[in-house]
């Protein structure tokens, strides 16, 4: 785990979770990996707004926190696959609920947004 996680007071579980899952792409990466093992390129295509550098960083942090495994197959060129660990799979219901809420919120805002005047 990163040092920031170790410094979070024990009584603040939300802050602890946010320290681990915070970051623009982590939950999106976890949501993609819920469906199964993916290679780096597959994750990039599924998340078109993420840069390769940021995706690498987020994957490394998720791996360091024990949520994702990284498997390098000894081939030429090397094949690298990412998958959720058992702990990572425990976040499936959370990512599903956030996905549902995001869809609901987006639709609610669209319905309530005033029409632009010309």
């Amino acid at each position: 785990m990163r040092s920031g996680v170790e410094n979070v007071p024990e009584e603040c579980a939300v802050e602890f979770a946010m320290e681990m899952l915070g970051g623009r792409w982590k939950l999106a990466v976890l949501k993609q990996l819920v469906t199964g093992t993916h290679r780096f390129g597959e994750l990039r295509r599924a998340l078109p707004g993420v840069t390769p550098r940021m995706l690498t960083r987020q994957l490394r942090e998720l791996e360091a926190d024990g949520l994702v495994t990284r498997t390098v197959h000894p081939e030429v060129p090397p094949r690298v696959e990412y998958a959720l660990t058992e702990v990572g799979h425990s976040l499936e219901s959370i990512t599903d609920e956030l996905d549902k809420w995001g869809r609901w919120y987006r639709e609610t805002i669209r319905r309530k947004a005033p029409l632009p005047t010309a």
Side-chain angles (χ1 to χ4, degrees):
M1 276 190 260
R2 294 178 313 284
S3 61
V5 173
E6 295 166 356
N7 296 328
V8 175
E10 281 195 38
E11 64 273 1
C12 194
V14 170
E15 189 177 342
F16 181 81
M18 287 176 55
E19 183 67 32
M20 289 185 65
L21 301 174
R24 181 172 179 188
W25 299 102
K26 284 186 182 179
L27 288 167
V29 168
L30 292 171
K31 180 72 176 155
Q32 290 299 316
L33 292 175
V34 162
T35 63
T37 301
H38 291 283
R39 294 176 71 178
F40 186 85
E42 293 171 327
L43 291 170
R44 279 249 10 245
R45 285 188 294 278
L47 305 167
V50 68
T51 64
R53 182 173 183 242
M54 180 55 70
L55 181 56
T56 298
R57 182 178 174 186
Q58 301 287 268
L59 285 164
R60 284 182 183 161
E61 288 179 10
L62 290 167
E63 182 183 11
D65 290 336
L67 301 175
V68 170
T69 60
R70 179 179 185 264
T71 304
V72 180
H73 297 276
E75 302 172 353
V76 177
R79 179 170 46 107
V80 180
E81 296 178 326
Y82 296 91
L84 292 180
T85 63
E86 188 175 328
V87 175
H89 275 290
S90 71
L91 295 165
E92 185 173 351
S93 62
I94 293 169
T95 59
D96 285 345
E97 288 301 316
L98 283 170
D99 185 62
K100 287 177 195 172
W101 185 86
R103 291 171 193 275
W104 170 83
Y105 185 78
R106 186 171 46 205
E107 290 303 313
T108 300
I109 294 302
R110 282 187 187 152
R111 273 187 258 130
K112 290 184 178 181
L115 295 173
T117 57

